[in-house]
Amino acid sequence: MSMRTAKNGVDLALAIASLMQANHDLSVRLRQAGISSSELTAAREWTRASGLLRGLPERKFRNLFGAPETAAGGCMSYALRLWREHLFDVVVNSEGQVFYRGFRLRPERRPTLGPEPLEMFAAAETLRVGWHTESECHKLLGQPAQSFVWSPVSEWFYGPLPSDLYLTFAFDFGLLSSISFQPFIR
């Protein structure tokens, strides 16, 4: 199945995937969709040149990526072929520019996570890369001790643990991309 659209752009799912950090879940999704590494590379070049991360006028965004599944209150939600269990939200600012908000699980797919907050090791075993989002992580563990954002990547650090390591979550566009224990680098 081709991820190309009938327009001059790239499918929004492929554009987003092209900018994400490599991880097992993403590799599986790309392989199942039949997306080659050359197609992903071409999408990355197109996406970087398109201005997607810097913001696009709403009309241009809709021309490139089509109509959203839902739109209300300045937020548009897109269904993505690679992440059928999620929606990808974008917001329109007061100047009519579209910026990404990121992934969220569809309401019917949100898990029952149990009583909060979880102990850090339990949270690390509960949360799944490629499935959970910043929202579930925040619900389970609260505010991180430290966070860094390099759009579209963010890292959240919880701890320190007795070993002086931090439970670290990395996100791409708000979607969990890795879980690790590592020292906090200032």
Side-chain angles (χ1 to χ4, degrees):
M1 146 174 63
S2 173
M3 299 296 281
R4 293 256 171 224
T5 66
K7 303 186 186 227
N8 291 330
V10 180
D11 180 82
L12 184 56
L14 183 55
I16 292 165
S18 75
L19 298 176
M20 294 176 82
Q21 300 176 83
N23 66 59
H24 178 72
D25 178 75
L26 180 60
S27 296
V28 168
R29 289 174 189 273
L30 293 170
R31 187 173 51 252
Q32 288 174 341
I35 298 170
S36 68
S37 60
S38 61
E39 188 174 8
L40 190 63
T41 299
R44 183 177 304 113
E45 291 170 10
W46 180 91
T47 304
R48 286 182 175 155
S50 75
L52 179 64
L53 291 178
R54 295 183 307 275
L56 294 171
E58 182 178 2
R59 174 175 275 173
K60 181 175 181 180
F61 190 92
R62 285 177 178 255
N63 284 341
L64 289 172
F65 301 116
E69 183 170 298
T70 62
C75 181
M76 299 185 295
S77 299
Y78 283 82
L80 303 177
R81 290 188 252 186
L82 292 175
W83 293 275
R84 295 183 188 280
E85 61 278 0
H86 293 82
L87 291 171
F88 190 81
D89 292 341
V90 297
V91 293
V92 183
N93 71 10
S94 59
E95 288 84 39
Q97 293 288 107
V98 175
F99 294 92
Y100 76 88
R101 183 179 283 164
F103 284 97
R104 67 180 168 92
L105 280 166
R106 290 177 176 275
E108 67 274 10
R109 304 293 285 182
R110 285 191 198 125
T112 302
L113 295 172
E116 297 81 39
L118 277 184
E119 183 269 335
M120 283 191 264
F121 290 104
E125 291 186 11
T126 300
L127 295 168
R128 287 181 27 216
V129 168
W131 178 267
H132 290 106
T133 68
E134 289 177 349
S135 176
E136 291 82 33
C137 185
H138 188 267
K139 182 177 180 188
L140 285 176
L141 291 169
Q143 197 66 25
Q146 187 65 263
S147 63
F148 296 106
V149 176
W150 302 275
S151 183
V153 176
S154 61
E155 285 188 323
W156 292 6
F157 294 83
Y158 289 92
L161 300 167
S163 62
D164 282 335
L165 295 177
Y166 284 75
L167 174 58
T168 307
F169 297 98
F171 301 93
D172 279 306
F173 296 99
L175 184 67
L176 186 60
S177 60
S178 73
I179 302 171
S180 62
F181 292 92
Q182 60 185 355
F184 179 70
I185 301 171
R186 296 181 197 272

